[in-house]
Amino acid sequence: MVIFLILLVFYTLLLFLITAGFIYIELHKYSSEHIVNNYRPKTLVIMPVKGVDYSIENNLMSIKNQKYQDFKFLCVVDSEEEEALSVIKKLGIDYIKSSYKCKKCSGKVRAISTAIDQFMDYEVYLLADSDIEVDENWLLNMVMPLANNDAGLSTTFPYFYPMGGFWSQVKEIWGFVGMGLMESKLTRFGWGGSLAFKRDLIEDSLVFFSEHISDDTALTKMCKQKGKKIYYVDSAKPNINSPDNFHVFFEWANRQTALSISASPKVYYYGMLFYGSYLFLFFSAIVMGIFYNPFYFLFLIPAAMYIYNMIKRLKHIKPVNIIGAIILPFIYMANLAIAKRMKNISWRGNIYDIQDKNLL
């Protein structure tokens, strides 16, 4: 009986410590670094295009119609046979063919390297994925932080707007994990779907950049090596219109997680610690609350705060969103477990080895 009481005390103290940690995390969120100034540099918007993304015409037009004077919008394709080229030509957007010489780079990195190599006279480069839809001030909001001397990258993170059934709704919630990582300066990274930087970050490192699979990981490395800061601009957040089913969502989520882990192993350990502790606390509160003492239901407070903070990010609230917020920790734990064992990823029709750390 005495041993049981001692173990119960230690167990309860552990639950208290985990609860206090989660409450602290949920109450101390970093805010966006939206900066307003008169910085209006000559900017090249680079969009590698391969395949026809959902709502691609709206995506391209949203970038073409930016309220910004001195910019050029350039698409980069692999060949004249690119299926999205008919849309690019229809909208009157300039394009070039990818031609930069690199052996192990991804198609996206080759496309970006080609554009920078051919257009070295721009002060700022802004990368854009072809699946993003932005508002008219996106470009302006992205470049203004680069006026600061300590700025290396200006980035944001998308809102995955559901255009399908249940799993597109889950992806909407899943994206909030990325937003949370961006809000913390400890886990922030450059997201290649919307990423701005000055010429001086890359002009002496283009060869280094061009030998990578992941453009955003390479640029994040370069930024840190030069002692520069990554600015997170929530006001520039684009939409990605997502019609995902289960297969598409899970393949995408595992790939994104695998890339993050390969680039920085601490993502895996941080994720396992965070979500493992969360699930331990969640199940402890339920089991002990039902079978021992209702007092233990109080340890569900961090889960309630976590779910609330997820839901308040939503542009609309439906019952399915609440279900998604509840099951997200289980999904992300599965992503971490699967991604940790992945050796290759399939990306835009190509297979890449993600175990070679020099390529990420």
Side-chain angles (χ1 to χ4, degrees):
M1 185 64 179
V2 174
I3 294 176
F4 171 76
L5 290 175
I6 292 174
L7 291 175
L8 181 63
V9 168
F10 276 105
Y11 178 70
T12 306
L13 284 174
L14 177 61
L15 296 182
F16 266 117
L17 289 174
I18 296 174
T19 297
F22 275 111
I23 290 175
Y24 178 84
I25 290 171
E26 294 303 321
L27 291 177
H28 292 77
K29 299 288 187 180
Y30 288 105
S31 59
S32 170
E33 293 167 311
H34 178 65
I35 293 173
V36 178
N37 53 40
N38 294 319
Y39 186 56
R40 306 291 186 271
K42 183 181 178 183
T43 301
L44 179 66
V45 179
I46 304 170
M47 178 182 283
V49 180
K50 186 173 184 179
V52 179
D53 287 288
Y54 188 86
S55 69
I56 188 169
E57 189 165 329
N58 289 339
N59 301 343
L60 295 176
M61 285 301 297
S62 70
I63 294 177
K64 182 180 179 182
N65 293 333
Q66 289 295 294
K67 282 189 172 181
Y68 194 91
Q69 293 298 317
D70 197 4
F71 87 102
K72 178 181 179 65
F73 179 23
L74 182 71
C75 290
V76 188
V77 299
D78 287 341
S79 70
E80 290 290 338
E81 283 69 50
E82 167 57 50
E83 57 181 328
L85 200 51
S86 60
V87 179
I88 294 170
K89 291 178 177 178
K90 172 186 172 183
L91 300 178
I93 297 170
D94 290 340
Y95 73 94
I96 58 173
K97 287 186 285 187
S98 186
S99 60
Y100 195 87
K101 302 299 182 184
C102 51
K103 295 180 180 179
K104 297 182 179 180
C105 60
S106 66
K108 183 180 179 185
V109 167
R110 177 182 285 108
I112 294 168
S113 300
T114 300
I116 294 174
D117 187 52
Q118 293 186 24
F119 295 88
M120 271 290 189
D121 57 335
Y122 284 82
E123 184 176 348
V124 167
Y125 300 97
L126 174 50
L127 310 183
D129 281 351
S130 56
D131 59 356
I132 67 170
E133 184 175 3
V134 300
D135 68 32
E136 60 188 10
N137 291 313
W138 164 76
L139 199 163
L140 176 61
N141 289 330
M142 286 295 297
V143 302
M144 285 192 290
L146 298 178
N148 293 346
N149 292 330
D150 65 350
L153 300 175
S154 172
T155 193
T156 186
F157 200 78
Y159 188 102
F160 296 102
Y161 196 86
M163 304 296 288
F166 176 75
W167 289 103
S168 70
Q169 306 277 348
V170 171
K171 185 175 182 179
E172 180 180 23
I173 296 287
W174 198 100
F176 299 156
V177 174
M179 291 182 193
L181 292 173
M182 285 294 191
E183 290 167 351
S184 171
K185 295 176 183 178
L186 295 175
T187 53
R188 187 173 299 168
F189 58 93
W191 177 62
S194 180
L195 182 63
F197 52 92
K198 287 185 175 179
R199 181 178 62 243
D200 59 14
L201 181 75
I202 201 169
E203 60 185 348
D204 60 348
S205 306
L206 186 58
V207 173
F208 171 82
F209 171 77
S210 68
E211 292 304 325
H212 287 73
I213 292 173
S214 173
D215 56 306
D216 40 20
T217 301
L219 287 164
T220 299
K221 281 183 185 178
M222 291 157 58
C223 179
K224 292 181 178 180
Q225 287 170 358
K226 295 188 177 184
K228 297 292 187 177
K229 180 178 176 180
I230 300 174
Y231 281 84
Y232 170 55
V233 190
D234 182 68
S235 57
K237 177 170 57 189
N239 276 347
I240 292 182
N241 299 314
S242 303
D244 298 33
N245 55 29
F246 171 77
H247 175 74
V248 172
F249 163 73
F250 214 64
E251 181 183 34
W252 170 85
N254 289 335
R255 181 175 66 247
Q256 295 299 116
T257 307
L259 280 169
S260 298
I261 291 172
S262 297
S264 177
K266 69 180 181 180
V267 171
Y268 173 77
Y269 297 109
Y270 173 81
M272 292 297 288
L273 177 63
F274 182 91
Y275 288 103
S277 298
Y278 177 94
L279 293 177
F280 171 73
L281 186 65
F282 182 80
F283 284 116
S284 294
I286 292 175
V287 173
M288 293 295 285
I290 293 173
F291 295 105
Y292 184 71
N293 191 314
F295 161 80
Y296 282 87
F297 285 128
L298 291 174
F299 291 116
L300 288 174
I301 290 175
M305 294 176 66
Y306 177 81
I307 293 168
Y308 171 75
N309 284 333
M310 285 283 184
I311 290 173
K312 74 178 184 179
R313 295 179 186 267
L314 291 166
K315 295 183 178 181
H316 52 263
I317 299 176
K318 299 178 181 178
V320 68
N321 299 130
I322 299 174
I323 296 172
I326 292 171
I327 67 173
L328 179 64
F330 299 89
I331 294 172
Y332 200 62
M333 284 288 284
N335 295 147
L336 287 167
I338 293 170
K340 180 67 173 176
R341 298 195 301 270
M342 290 174 66
K343 298 179 180 179
N344 303 291
I345 61 167
S346 175
W347 192 6
R348 299 274 177 172
N350 296 313
I351 304 295
Y352 299 104
D353 177 8
I354 59 173
Q355 291 193 316
D356 187 342
K357 302 303 180 184
N358 294 322
L359 297 180
L360 291 166

